[in-house]
Amino acid sequence: MSKIRLTALPRELRKIINMIYKNYSEEELMRVIDAYEYAKLYHGSQKRKSGEPYIIHPLNVALILAELNLDIISIQAGLLHDVAEDTTASLQDIEDYFGKDVAKIVDGVTKIEKLNIAQSSLDKKAETVRKMFLAMAEDIRVILVKLADRLHNLRTMDSMPENKQKEKAKETLQIYAPLAHRLGIHAIKWQLEDLAFKYLYPEEYKKIAAIVDRKRIDREFISEEYKSMLQLTLSRHGINFEISGRQKHFYSIWRKMDNFFKPIDEIYDMIALRVITSTEKECYYVMGLVHNLWKPIPGRVKDYIATPKSNGYRSLHTSVITHRGEALEIQIRSKEMHQEAEFGLAAHWIYKEGKISKYQQDWLERLKEWHMDYKQGISGLVEFQKELGIEDVYIFTPKGEVKHMPKGSTTIDFAYSVHTEIGHHFAGAKVNGNIESLDYELKNGDMVEIIVNKNSNGPSRDWLKYAKSSSTRAKIKRFFREKYNIELQEKGKEILRQASKKLQISMEEISSSPEFVALISKDNILKPKDILLKLGEGEYSAEDIVALFDVKEEEEEKIEDIPVKKSKRPKNTVMVNGQSGIFVKIAKCCSPVPGDPIIGVLSPKGITVHIQNCPNVKNIVQGEMVEVNWGDTTSETYPVSILLETNDASGSVLKEILKRAKDKSVKIDEVNTKFNGWDNLTYRIRIYVRSSSQLLEIIENWGKINGVLRTYRVGEN
Ligand code: MN
């Protein structure tokens, strides 16, 4: 410690350094001192309400964090946590000097600080606010700094006005103490509760403090007697243990009185002992010995080792009637369980070469997922609340690591929670050594081993049935969307192919048929690729498509149709220079129908018939014009297209058109859809008419349909 002169540092910082110096290099310790110097510089002459220099506050926050065994990133963030909000220092400065992690935590703390949630919504929605805090904190250390911040503020509230004190105290009971509980940090939780209790209900606090104090002498005497009896028994059986008397916290005594109207003498755990063993096995052994010594009270044995509490708390609890005829509560747990109970997540905060532990990573991962869900808005929020429902199950990996899963999760959810790729290559799961199916619902304490098939091509669609977590479902769906687009399109094509085979109509004809377009346009689908995707996703089957075309009618028609298929186009009914029987083509750019004034254009390929004012005709040299007239047209219909603009994207306009066309025996053989915006689209509908007057009638008739903006005639294509 050559570079560091401890004597020049404030007491709190010396304490911090003393606590952590074994685990960190001199350079790292210097970074903590730098953070202190930086905070001190920026807070400058700022004072707390109490009149103390402001720096006292961040120093104490950092000290609390150090006492929780947190890492130096957290301690630095604790020192700097008010710098970004209250001084001229910027977040960028902090990042430049102390790195991304520290800056991110400071940023998170500042954001939560700024939330300023109304008391009314706290009363109604405390649970939602807690979830929101968790979700906002992408790094769990944000919450830990915030808890330490609140704890120190509560410890130093005396100079605040009373209404402010009560406000803070209430908020603490509603938000921060439950968060500490959720994270399993008992050491912080009870301090927050007792301090808040003191400010919120000062009279009750004084009463309980007085009673507890009055009975202290008695209680300590009795407690010593119980302890020595228990010690004697346990050492006879060669068990390694520690026994401590346990001070019951004021707030929880009061809660029990408040809840059950019990007089204080009847609160079981006024005297309580805690036995800490070396191993889990010994816990059960000790419980047996305790029950031999004193009579257990039925129904008071709780095995939180076999079934940990949702915040991870593990311990055996029992209450006995002692030889004095009094109730005595005893908690039995291993050293490791004790660490976890006191420091929760922080107990696992073991840094190795600057890397966070697996346990924390899981937490961070889950927080990130919650965060994403949260951001997805209302629909996501429901799922997110469900998942955060605090009713987690705890699962063990074969290596003995603990994983939290939302209640109801299945083996497939578990596989995806380990890693997305493991999920994608899921081949099965062993639960407690037995092969279990995909839909096996995980139970507390299950040991789950995922079997992976490296050669698998990815998830199967019906996994969605078994995936209970929204993030698993999202991952599976994303997989299909992103990587299997092509395969889905192939599937879609196959469905179309099957339909085409059954209907004896080409795939192109099916996909441009009015019936099919009407079906698909419900889903606002524009591109052929998306149509195939939709089909591939199983939205519509080949049978659905076949059902669109009335098969029986189609088959009857086919008998007549097949021999004349090639002459579907109208017969040559145009006379050239007064002569019939000369072959002409009808131009597709303007698609003249009988009644239209027409003109012939002669080219090496023959004569093409246009409407006289067709723009294409004007570009043609005069000499090539041929005079043409309509001949006997009564038995033929001619193709022409109508453009129809509508603001109805539901398909009901198209449906109405198909109905009207059928009623009037107007043949429609192709509909193309173009989306112009949210709910403005244009249909290009090819119909067959006998004359220009019939066409005009149709255009006017369709134009009156509700939702139709504009109808006009265009060429066939
Ligand atoms: Mn603060």
Side-chain angles (χ1 to χ4, degrees):
M1 304 257 280
S2 57
K3 280 189 215 159
I4 303 170
R5 282 179 295 116
L6 283 177
T7 46
L9 301 173
R11 189 175 50 91
E12 291 86 353
L13 196 55
R14 290 205 305 270
K15 269 192 179 172
I16 292 171
I17 300 289
N18 273 327
M19 266 181 243
I20 64 171
Y21 80 91
K22 277 185 204 144
N23 302 326
Y24 294 102
S25 68
E26 209 163 272
E27 275 70 24
E28 287 170 317
L29 295 176
M30 282 308 293
R31 287 216 299 269
V32 173
I33 294 170
D34 284 346
Y36 157 71
E37 299 283 1
Y38 187 92
K40 194 180 160 202
L41 182 74
Y42 274 94
H43 284 299
S45 58
Q46 286 176 354
K47 293 261 188 315
R48 304 199 80 209
K49 283 250 163 58
S50 60
E52 293 170 308
Y54 196 89
I55 189 70
I56 296 290
H57 168 63
L59 268 172
N60 277 283
V61 169
L63 180 58
I64 293 167
L65 294 167
E67 283 166 351
L68 286 173
N69 296 326
L70 292 187
D71 63 311
I72 57 162
I73 301 283
S74 308
I75 293 169
Q76 288 176 88
L79 287 164
L80 297 164
H81 80 272
D82 276 332
V83 158
E85 205 198 350
D86 297 343
T87 79
T88 54
S90 74
L91 217 55
Q92 190 58 52
D93 280 351
I94 295 172
E95 189 180 323
D96 293 345
Y97 281 109
F98 302 101
K100 249 200 174 96
D101 283 349
V102 174
K104 253 174 89 179
I105 298 170
V106 172
D107 186 33
V109 173
T110 310
K111 273 183 190 146
I112 288 180
E113 194 65 51
K114 280 183 184 158
L115 274 176
N116 205 4
I117 296 149
Q119 187 59 51
S120 58
S121 65
L122 272 186
D123 289 341
K124 273 183 249 149
K125 293 180 189 153
E127 177 63 12
T128 310
V129 175
R130 292 197 290 270
K131 287 168 182 172
M132 197 175 71
F133 277 19
L134 281 172
M136 277 176 70
E138 281 177 71
D139 188 320
I140 195 70
R141 288 173 287 189
V142 170
I143 300 289
L144 298 173
V145 172
K146 201 56 211 156
L147 288 174
D149 177 46
R150 177 50 57 103
L151 180 56
H152 185 249
N153 281 334
L154 285 185
R155 281 178 186 167
T156 54
M157 264 203 323
D158 280 339
S159 46
M160 261 190 203
E162 201 187 307
N163 64 332
K164 277 267 168 211
Q165 288 176 349
K166 285 203 154 53
E167 209 175 273
K168 289 266 172 212
K170 200 170 173 195
E171 197 188 55
T172 302
L173 288 182
Q174 284 171 323
I175 302 297
Y176 294 98
L179 273 178
H181 177 70
R182 173 73 182 109
L183 300 177
I185 311 170
H186 190 71
I188 296 267
K189 183 205 167 207
W190 77 259
Q191 290 187 65
L192 287 174
E193 283 180 346
D194 274 7
L195 283 164
F197 177 43
K198 184 176 139 194
Y199 287 105
L200 206 54
Y201 306 102
E203 292 307 314
E204 283 90 337
Y205 182 88
K206 263 185 238 155
K207 232 187 281 172
I208 286 173
I211 298 169
V212 169
D213 203 44
R214 181 151 27 89
K215 301 209 165 185
R216 175 166 287 155
I217 311 273
D218 291 354
R219 211 176 54 240
E220 275 171 5
F221 175 76
I222 298 168
S223 174
E224 278 309 311
E225 182 183 301
Y226 291 161
K227 253 202 238 172
S228 51
M229 285 179 74
L230 194 53
Q231 252 155 2
L232 199 65
T233 309
L234 297 188
S235 26
R236 268 194 205 138
H237 288 84
I239 292 170
N240 278 321
F241 64 93
E242 272 170 48
I243 300 183
S244 54
R246 198 158 57 82
Q247 173 76 34
K248 195 67 198 174
H249 310 305
F250 292 178
Y251 180 69
S252 60
I253 293 174
W254 179 71
R255 275 275 300 263
K256 286 195 174 165
M257 292 169 68
D258 201 42
N259 290 346
F260 306 111
F261 303 102
K262 280 180 184 158
I264 199 159
D265 290 324
E266 281 181 30
I267 304 297
Y268 283 144
D269 25 28
M270 277 291 285
I271 296 180
L273 293 181
R274 180 180 294 142
V275 182
I276 295 168
T277 65
S278 322
T279 67
E280 183 185 309
K281 250 191 205 160
E282 281 176 340
C283 294
Y284 291 96
Y285 191 27
V286 167
M287 185 157 79
L289 294 173
V290 167
H291 289 170
N292 273 340
L293 187 61
W294 294 304
K295 196 172 172 290
I297 302 174
R300 296 270 298 173
V301 173
K302 289 188 183 112
D303 184 353
Y304 295 121
I305 295 176
T307 317
K309 286 191 182 178
S310 62
N311 64 5
Y313 177 81
R314 290 185 296 157
S315 194
L316 293 176
H317 289 188
T318 184
S319 291
V320 294
I321 301 291
T322 67
H323 57 284
R324 284 175 170 272
E326 284 178 336
L328 168 68
E329 195 200 64
I330 301 169
Q331 298 179 345
I332 307 158
R333 54 176 83 144
S334 72
K335 266 185 204 139
E336 192 193 335
M337 294 173 201
H338 183 59
Q339 281 282 311
E340 283 178 20
E342 287 297 302
F343 303 122
L345 171 67
H348 295 268
W349 213 266
I350 304 151
Y351 271 66
K352 280 176 192 154
E353 296 147 1
K355 277 182 191 146
I356 52 175
S357 74
K358 188 76 188 61
Y359 185 92
Q360 290 167 267
Q361 245 169 19
D362 292 348
W363 259 94
L364 297 176
E365 274 307 307
R366 276 176 64 75
L367 279 172
K368 270 183 209 153
E369 280 178 15
W370 291 340
H371 190 73
M372 294 220 320
D373 279 353
Y374 183 71
K375 283 199 289 199
Q376 276 165 10
I378 310 291
S379 64
L381 188 64
V382 178
E383 295 272 15
F384 153 72
Q385 287 188 330
K386 230 191 283 164
E387 287 198 9
L388 252 174
I390 317 292
E391 284 193 70
D392 290 358
V393 287
Y394 288 74
I395 309 302
F396 295 94
T397 69
K399 283 179 194 159
E401 291 159 317
V402 185
K403 280 242 168 199
H404 315 237
M405 299 291 297
K407 206 176 171 186
S409 298
T410 59
T411 48
I412 193 85
D413 289 313
F414 183 75
Y416 272 98
S417 83
V418 176
H419 196 281
T420 305
E421 279 311 309
I422 292 192
H424 287 341
H425 294 90
F426 179 88
K430 265 190 195 170
V431 181
N432 305 321
N434 304 319
I435 301 276
E436 293 288 353
S437 60
L438 279 175
D439 60 346
Y440 175 87
E441 191 175 310
L442 298 170
K443 290 172 193 67
N444 252 328
D446 277 347
M447 205 272 270
V448 185
E449 187 183 346
I450 298 298
I451 304 159
V452 167
N453 174 8
K454 279 181 186 157
N455 300 322
S456 106
N457 293 324
S460 145
R461 204 134 250 292
D462 53 16
W463 290 4
L464 284 171
K465 281 187 238 157
Y466 311 115
K468 291 289 148 58
S469 130
S470 61
S471 76
T472 309
R473 299 170 61 80
K475 281 173 185 169
I476 295 173
K477 283 183 187 163
R478 204 178 308 140
F479 179 88
F480 282 107
R481 291 243 167 78
E482 286 174 3
K483 298 198 177 158
Y484 273 64
N485 261 1
I486 294 160
E487 194 176 287
L488 280 181
Q489 285 179 46
E490 279 306 316
K491 274 189 198 162
K493 221 179 250 174
E494 184 50 38
I495 286 168
L496 212 52
R497 201 171 286 136
Q498 284 168 17
S500 153
K501 212 169 153 191
K502 278 185 192 150
L503 288 168
Q504 297 278 313
I505 306 174
S506 78
M507 284 162 63
E508 289 72 27
E509 269 176 281
I510 289 175
S511 53
S512 62
S513 74
E515 294 87 350
F516 187 80
V517 171
L519 177 77
I520 282 294
S521 66
K522 280 201 310 249
D523 304 315
N524 263 355
I525 292 177
L526 174 59
K527 294 177 196 145
K529 190 185 84 184
D530 293 334
I531 294 172
L532 292 179
L533 268 179
K534 195 89 183 168
L535 291 175
E537 279 174 338
E539 201 76 18
Y540 303 107
S541 66
E543 286 70 33
D544 291 338
I545 297 169
V546 171
L548 287 176
F549 302 85
D550 199 343
V551 181
K552 277 179 193 160
E553 264 184 35
E554 199 71 29
E555 277 170 355
E556 282 166 15
E557 256 181 36
K558 232 187 295 165
I559 301 164
E560 300 170 24
D561 255 321
I562 292 167
V564 291
K565 216 167 181 178
K566 279 183 181 168
S567 56
K568 245 184 170 179
R569 295 269 144 199
K571 279 184 209 139
N572 205 352
T573 54
V574 175
M575 302 200 297
V576 181
N577 287 327
Q579 278 195 318
S580 61
I582 297 171
F583 181 78
V584 297
K585 279 195 294 186
I586 304 292
K588 288 183 177 183
C589 53
C590 52
S591 298
V593 299
D596 288 332
I598 46 176
I599 189 157
V601 175
L602 184 67
S603 79
K605 286 179 182 167
I607 297 165
T608 309
V609 175
H610 290 260
I611 295 179
Q612 281 180 6
N613 61 1
C614 172
N616 288 347
V617 175
K618 289 178 190 150
N619 303 331
I620 293 161
V621 187
Q622 191 74 31
E624 289 173 304
M625 297 293 169
V626 185
E627 192 196 306
V628 288
N629 290 296
W630 293 104
D632 176 17
T633 56
T634 43
S635 60
E636 290 297 333
T637 55
Y638 291 77
V640 63
S641 290
I642 293 176
L643 278 190
L644 186 142
E645 245 179 81
T646 171
N647 55 15
D648 163 80
S650 72
S652 63
V653 160
L654 189 60
K655 212 170 136 191
E656 177 63 22
I657 284 164
L658 296 180
K659 185 178 162 286
R660 290 187 185 195
K662 204 173 177 186
D663 289 349
K664 299 260 175 186
S665 303
V666 173
K667 184 176 157 65
I668 294 181
D669 78 341
E670 202 177 307
V671 177
N672 290 299
T673 315
K674 186 176 163 241
F675 286 86
N676 310 321
W678 271 107
D679 45 11
N680 185 314
L681 48 96
T682 306
Y683 293 117
R684 186 187 190 114
I685 305 164
R686 187 160 72 201
I687 63 172
Y688 288 78
V689 295
R690 281 185 307 277
S691 64
S692 56
S693 54
Q694 190 198 6
L695 176 60
L696 202 66
E697 208 177 285
I698 290 168
I699 287 173
E700 280 178 359
N701 181 266
W702 290 2
K704 287 174 194 152
I705 294 172
N706 212 355
V708 174
L709 305 173
R710 222 149 69 96
T711 46
Y712 50 98
R713 169 188 180 168
V714 290
E716 184 188 341
N717 56 10

